[in-house]
Amino acid sequence: MNNPLDESKKGLCQGIAGEIALSDDPGRVMRKWREKFQIPQKDLAEILEISPSVISDYESGRRVSPRIDTIRKFVEALVYLDQLKGGQIVNGLTRILSREIPSEIILDIREFPYAIKSEVLCKHLECEILANDEMLSQPIYGYTAIDVINAIVQLSSDQLLMLYGATPQRAAIFTNVISGRASMVAIKTSQMGTTRSLKPSLLIIHGPKKVDPLAVKIAEVERIPLALSTIKDTDSLIRTLRNFMTSEIPKTITTP
């Protein structure tokens, strides 16, 4: 695994390693990051030249307090394996976390290897289209799934702006949404005081039984395609997202 990392990837590795090392439950954080990178225990164990049961023991807490060297190798292996697959996760994480966005706000993230029509992702996530359906043929190049409650509570207006600024031509997927009003108001207010339009090309919300009409109105005014995923819970939504590019999704847009 001799693949030198550039500075942005080194910073990403240091941030993940620090989160694991400082956690009261490092095994749980290790599992979280392995799942974010979508790496099976077997593949990770092969790169690290250990048994998959060792990784399982760390993640379940049967082995406690992994050494710093163990954490470093674990994180570098995740990044290395993702780079072998095209770096889709690393590229997305570097884009977001370099803007000082806490990692617990980002539930999942992906850069696509080619452009996808917004409508294809909406169909995959069993969405009801709420606003601007005529814009769903536009291309997106990735997605970021966000815990919207943590984002609104923890982030400053500047950080919210940076978060949306990292999602042009990408889909933002907001989970734990109550009515959609706070999500759309947050996006609208984050645009104030800037000359650039920093907003997602597609917004999919998940959670509300009924969407606030004001949320739909703001989406229409801001020209953001808005959709509601009907998948039953957040865990199922994330699993479905992670299957998106591995399922039979057609290459819907040819890039130059």
Side-chain angles (χ1 to χ4, degrees):
M1 192 173 63
N2 296 318
N3 191 12
L5 301 175
D6 62 31
E7 288 305 314
S8 64
K9 293 182 179 62
K10 284 180 182 178
L12 175 63
C13 287
Q14 289 169 357
I16 297 173
E19 183 179 345
I20 294 171
L22 295 173
S23 173
D24 293 333
D25 188 352
R28 178 185 59 79
V29 180
M30 291 172 77
R31 178 178 178 180
K32 179 192 80 171
W33 280 107
R34 181 181 59 77
E35 290 179 346
K36 265 186 184 178
F37 274 84
Q38 302 165 35
I39 304 295
Q41 288 182 347
K42 176 177 67 66
D43 294 354
L44 186 59
E46 183 176 338
I47 289 294
L48 293 174
E49 299 181 340
I50 58 177
S51 166
S53 63
V54 174
I55 295 174
S56 178
D57 286 347
Y58 276 123
E59 292 183 353
S60 65
R62 288 189 292 270
R63 287 181 182 235
V64 296
S65 302
R67 297 184 307 174
I68 292 297
D69 190 52
T70 300
I71 295 172
R72 178 183 60 79
K73 290 178 180 178
F74 170 84
V75 174
E76 289 180 354
L78 293 179
V79 171
Y80 173 74
L81 287 168
D82 184 64
Q83 288 178 312
L84 290 182
K85 297 188 295 181
Q88 295 175 20
I89 309 299
V90 167
N91 291 340
L93 286 169
T94 301
R95 178 197 297 262
I96 298 292
L97 298 184
S98 64
R99 290 163 168 79
E100 299 181 350
I101 305 299
S103 65
E104 66 268 19
I105 290 172
I106 310 300
L107 299 182
D108 198 43
I109 195 166
R110 184 85 65 88
E111 300 279 338
F112 300 153
Y114 47 80
I116 295 293
K117 288 182 180 179
S118 297
E119 61 191 0
V120 177
L121 181 59
C122 287
K123 182 177 179 180
H124 186 73
L125 295 181
E126 303 173 24
C127 289
E128 173 189 349
I129 309 304
L130 303 176
N132 302 314
D133 59 341
E134 74 280 4
M135 298 176 67
L136 291 178
S137 61
Q138 65 185 4
I140 52 174
Y141 293 86
Y143 66 75
T144 306
I146 299 163
D147 185 318
V148 71
I149 293 178
N150 277 336
I152 292 173
V153 170
Q154 295 186 39
L155 300 185
S156 67
S157 58
D158 286 345
Q159 287 176 312
L160 280 171
L161 181 62
M162 288 189 288
L163 179 59
Y164 301 135
T167 57
Q169 291 191 288
R170 296 169 57 83
I173 301 161
F174 284 0
T175 68
N176 296 321
V177 174
I178 297 173
S179 72
R181 177 189 285 237
S183 303
M184 292 309 305
V185 169
I187 288 178
K188 184 173 179 62
T189 56
S190 73
Q191 309 302 306
M192 296 177 179
T194 178
T195 57
R196 292 190 299 156
S197 178
L198 300 175
K199 52 194 175 186
S201 294
L202 168 66
L203 177 60
I204 297 174
I205 58 176
H206 179 263
K209 298 270 191 292
K210 183 178 180 181
V211 177
D212 191 311
L214 179 60
V216 178
K217 183 63 177 177
I218 293 174
E220 291 171 347
V221 170
E222 293 293 323
R223 300 295 291 158
I224 302 172
L226 177 64
L228 170 67
S229 174
T230 60
I231 292 175
K232 63 179 182 177
D233 56 48
T234 300
D235 288 343
S236 299
L237 177 75
I238 298 303
R239 283 197 299 271
T240 304
L241 269 174
R242 289 174 178 169
N243 288 332
F244 180 56
M245 296 305 291
T246 56
S247 59
E248 295 301 316
I249 301 297
K251 186 172 181 177
T252 58
I253 297 176
T254 302
T255 53

